Amino acid sequence: MRPVSFSTAGLPEAQKIARWEEHNSRALIGLRCRMLGEAALDATEVNLQLDGMHLARVRGNAHVVERPAAEVRRNPADAVAVYLTLVGEAFFYHDDGVLTLRPGQALICDADRPFMRGFSRGLEELAVKVRRPVFRSVTGLDEVRTPLVRDFGRGDPSARSFARLVDEALTSGGPVDEDVALELLASMTAGHDTASVHVANARTYIELHLSDPGLSAARVATAIGISERHLSRAFGSTGVSVPQFVLARRLDRAHTLLASAPGTPVSQVAARCGFGSAAHFSQTFRARYGRRPSDVRREARAALPGNA
């Protein structure tokens, strides 16, 4: 699963809105779109489809999107939506009033309750669609009756980690730990168990810094705002210590690199996965998988077309 892009650039002006609506209906949530002025729609979306979540980064000029009751009936999403504002203000109109979302704020709402969103100065945001059965399984909630606003700029550590994870997935196209993302969303929505939230925040930070050989439990604890001892207790519930988790994730990533990019030297794989030396990497890799890194690399190269 890799990010894919869609843009209205180059489309005939008369087709831009219709094509934008069609794309969002397939890739995210069905919406009706209209412009605020005479300018044509200039919008781009990068999408990544996961098992239970659909991620997107959206950029566009000033416009309004609506999800009226008729659209909900015609094209139900059966999902919860999360919108994380990066640039520009976003206005959210719903049954109980209007909210103004500023950069650094996230909105959690039910995608099957009518709403309207407006971007008077354009927008750049992250958008996440979570299938309702998945949302229910991690929060215990069937719906979001009242829209929720969370501060991912500074205030809410779970929202901040969630935004980082989504942004990294769409930017790099690297592997996404969907369970971590859902645990963070559960914390944002329903205030789940504190220890689980700390573990989810730590795992997000670790994923984004695996290539750093100086990554340590102390560094992780400082980054997510708790003591090292508190972090150790939180990880204790998982049965794996922080160093054990870091090593396991480094080895997982290294195995993926060796199998998918067999032209990469073993020493580079070791460095890219945060190992201080190729010798230590080879030793721990063999202890985990029962094979040398060079064996995995050689088999992957032999499997390439033309090498049979």
Side-chain angles (χ1 to χ4, degrees):
M1 294 178 286
R2 294 287 180 181
V4 295
S5 297
F6 176 85
S7 175
T8 62
L11 293 175
E13 186 171 330
Q15 296 181 20
K16 287 177 181 284
I17 288 180
R19 294 284 296 279
W20 182 249
E21 290 176 346
E22 289 169 6
H23 170 76
N24 276 282
S25 182
R26 292 193 306 269
L28 209 57
I29 295 169
L31 299 166
R32 302 294 94 193
C33 176
R34 58 185 173 85
M35 302 308 295
L36 291 174
E38 298 297 324
L41 179 64
D42 179 13
T44 300
E45 190 169 287
V46 178
N47 299 96
L48 179 62
Q49 309 284 340
L50 306 178
D51 291 335
M53 307 170 70
H54 296 176
L55 316 181
R57 175 185 283 271
V58 188
R59 294 185 178 91
N61 56 351
H63 68 283
V64 171
V65 294
E66 301 175 73
R67 187 157 169 78
E71 177 66 21
V72 172
R73 289 192 297 270
R74 188 182 71 85
N75 188 11
D78 195 26
V80 168
V82 186
Y83 298 107
L84 302 104
T85 302
L86 303 177
V87 177
E89 290 186 341
F91 302 95
F92 182 83
Y93 300 86
H94 60 109
D95 286 344
D96 296 326
V98 59
L99 298 170
T100 301
L101 282 297
R102 295 178 173 82
Q105 291 185 310
L107 174 76
I108 305 171
C109 65
D110 199 295
D112 285 336
R113 288 177 175 263
F115 63 79
M116 176 189 297
R117 304 183 68 222
F119 317 100
S120 58
R121 293 184 176 87
L123 84 151
E124 180 174 351
E125 69 178 10
L126 302 173
V128 180
K129 171 186 172 182
V130 185
R131 294 193 302 110
R132 196 177 304 279
V134 175
F135 181 79
R136 184 186 302 118
S137 72
V138 297
T139 66
L141 302 174
D142 286 321
E143 58 185 343
V144 180
R145 294 184 177 276
T146 302
L148 305 174
V149 177
R150 298 291 183 259
D151 184 351
F152 69 88
R154 289 178 294 180
D156 187 328
S158 295
R160 185 167 61 249
S161 293
F162 183 80
R164 286 176 179 170
L165 195 63
V166 173
D167 184 54
E168 176 71 12
L170 291 165
T171 301
S172 70
V176 182
D177 193 327
E178 197 169 358
D179 289 339
V180 171
L182 290 169
E183 184 63 46
L184 293 169
L185 177 59
S187 174
M188 293 164 60
T189 306
H192 274 208
D193 173 59
T194 302
S196 297
V197 172
H198 289 325
V199 170
N201 286 335
R203 289 172 67 182
T204 300
Y205 183 83
I206 289 167
E207 288 296 324
L208 298 177
H209 296 83
L210 270 182
S211 61
D212 183 355
L215 183 63
S216 64
R219 281 265 306 275
V220 174
T222 298
I224 67 172
I226 63 175
S227 69
E228 186 176 354
R229 184 177 180 182
H230 195 169
L231 177 64
S232 178
R233 286 202 301 268
F235 260 83
S237 63
T238 70
V240 178
S241 69
V242 177
Q244 288 172 334
F245 178 78
V246 171
L247 178 60
R249 291 300 302 130
R250 282 176 168 160
L251 290 171
D252 288 343
R253 182 173 292 185
H255 192 283
T256 298
L257 281 172
L258 290 165
S260 62
T264 307
V266 170
S267 59
Q268 282 190 28
V269 171
R272 288 170 61 179
C273 295
F275 289 93
S277 73
H280 174 61
F281 166 58
S282 295
Q283 180 182 5
T284 55
F285 189 94
R286 189 167 187 175
R288 166 79 176 273
Y289 294 106
R291 306 162 69 200
R292 296 175 300 178
S294 56
D295 295 333
V296 176
R297 181 170 175 263
R298 182 173 57 254
E299 290 173 11
R301 294 183 72 173
L304 290 173
N307 292 336

